[in-house]
C-alpha cells in the first residue's frame, strides 16, 4: 500500500511538473493584503486532473518567487522571497508545501475565471484564471517557518 501511495504521489508530481511555463501578472488589489493574480499556465501534455490546483499553485509560486508584472493600471508587486537559492537550501519545506498542497490555504479562484484551451499551433494546453492570493497570510506562514525574516527577527 505504501508503495502504491508513493508511486501515485510521484506520478502526480510528474504530471504537474509537465507545466513548461507560467505567467503571472497583477489583476488588482484585494482587501486585507490580498492580490488578484492573473495566471496563465501552458502544459505540453494533458492537463492534470485538477486545473484549479495547477493555477492556484502557480499563482502562489508567482507571488513567492517571481512577483507580479504590472498590468492594466495595476502596479508591479515584488516577490516575497528574494533569495535565489532558497528552494535548494529549504528543499524539504518546499517539497512538502507542494506535495501537501498547502498553497490551497492561500489561494482561491475568482468565480468563473478558469478557462482552458488547446493551442493548435504549439499543441500546448493553455489554462488561465484569476486567483486571489492572501499575501499577508502567506507572508506570515513563511515567517513562522523561518523562510522569511519578519520584523521580530530584526532585533
Amino acid at each position: 500500500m505504501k508503495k502504491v501511495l508513493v508511486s501515485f504521489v510521484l506520478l502526480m508530481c510528474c504530471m504537474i511538473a509537465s507545466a513548461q511555463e507560467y505567467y503571472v501578472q497583477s489583476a488588482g488589489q484585494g482587501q486585507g493584503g490580498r492580490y488578484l493574480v492573473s495566471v496563465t499556465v501552458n502544459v505540453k501534455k494533458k492537463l492534470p486532473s485538477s486545473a484549479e490546483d495547477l493555477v492556484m499553485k502557480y499563482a502562489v509560486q508567482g507571488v513567492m518567487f517571481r512577483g507580479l508584472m504590472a498590468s492594466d493600471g495595476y502596479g508591479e508587486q515584488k516577490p516575497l522571497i528574494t533569495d535565489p537559492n532558497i528552494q535548494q537550501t529549504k528543499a524539504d519545506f518546499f517539497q512538502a508545501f507542494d506535495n501537501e498542497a498547502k498553497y490551497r490555504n492561500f489561494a482561491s479562484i475568482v468565480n468563473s475565471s478558469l478557462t482552458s484551451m488547446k493551442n493548435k499551433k504549439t499543441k500546448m494546453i493553455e489554462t488561465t484564471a484569476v486567483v486571489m492570493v492572501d499575501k499577508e497570510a502567506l507572508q506570515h506562514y513563511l515567517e513562522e517557518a523561518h523562510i522569511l525574516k519578519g520584523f521580530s527577527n530584526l532585533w
Side-chain angles (χ1 to χ4, degrees):
M1 182 65 180
K2 201 173 191 182
K3 287 182 181 180
V4 172
L5 183 59
V6 169
S7 297
F8 178 75
V9 169
L10 288 173
L11 176 65
M12 292 304 294
C13 289
C14 290
M15 288 176 70
I16 290 175
S18 69
Q20 292 298 302
E21 52 193 41
Y22 73 99
Y23 305 97
V24 291
Q25 63 185 21
S26 182
Q29 187 82 25
Q31 292 181 335
R34 291 179 174 87
Y35 290 157
L36 288 175
V37 181
S38 175
V39 184
T40 301
V41 181
N42 293 311
V43 181
K44 274 189 175 179
K45 301 182 188 218
K46 72 177 194 171
L47 272 174
S49 59
S50 177
E52 292 91 359
D53 271 358
L54 190 66
V55 293
M56 286 192 295
K57 173 184 175 177
Y58 285 113
V60 172
Q61 277 192 4
V63 169
M64 286 193 301
F65 300 113
R66 291 187 177 184
L68 305 176
M69 297 185 302
S71 172
D72 297 329
Y74 302 111
E76 176 184 4
Q77 302 295 332
K78 295 186 182 205
L80 291 177
I81 300 171
T82 56
D83 180 356
N85 299 317
I86 197 151
Q87 285 183 292
Q88 287 78 32
T89 59
K90 303 279 186 172
D92 291 341
F93 172 83
F94 289 108
Q95 186 174 8
F97 190 82
D98 285 348
N99 291 344
E100 296 169 16
K102 291 185 180 179
Y103 51 84
R104 288 185 196 155
N105 298 328
F106 308 104
S108 60
I109 296 177
V110 174
N111 296 340
S112 304
S113 68
L114 182 69
T115 60
S116 292
M117 62 184 226
K118 186 168 187 172
N119 185 328
K120 291 179 182 179
K121 200 174 198 180
T122 63
K123 297 187 178 177
M124 294 182 81
I125 299 172
E126 181 177 286
T127 302
T128 303
V130 175
V131 178
M132 185 174 296
V133 177
D134 190 342
K135 184 206 78 150
E136 297 291 327
L138 177 60
Q139 184 173 0
H140 183 71
Y141 176 78
L142 294 171
E143 287 172 359
E144 284 185 344
H146 302 289
I147 302 299
L148 290 178
K149 292 181 181 176
F151 284 118
S152 61
N153 294 335
L154 295 177
W155 288 276

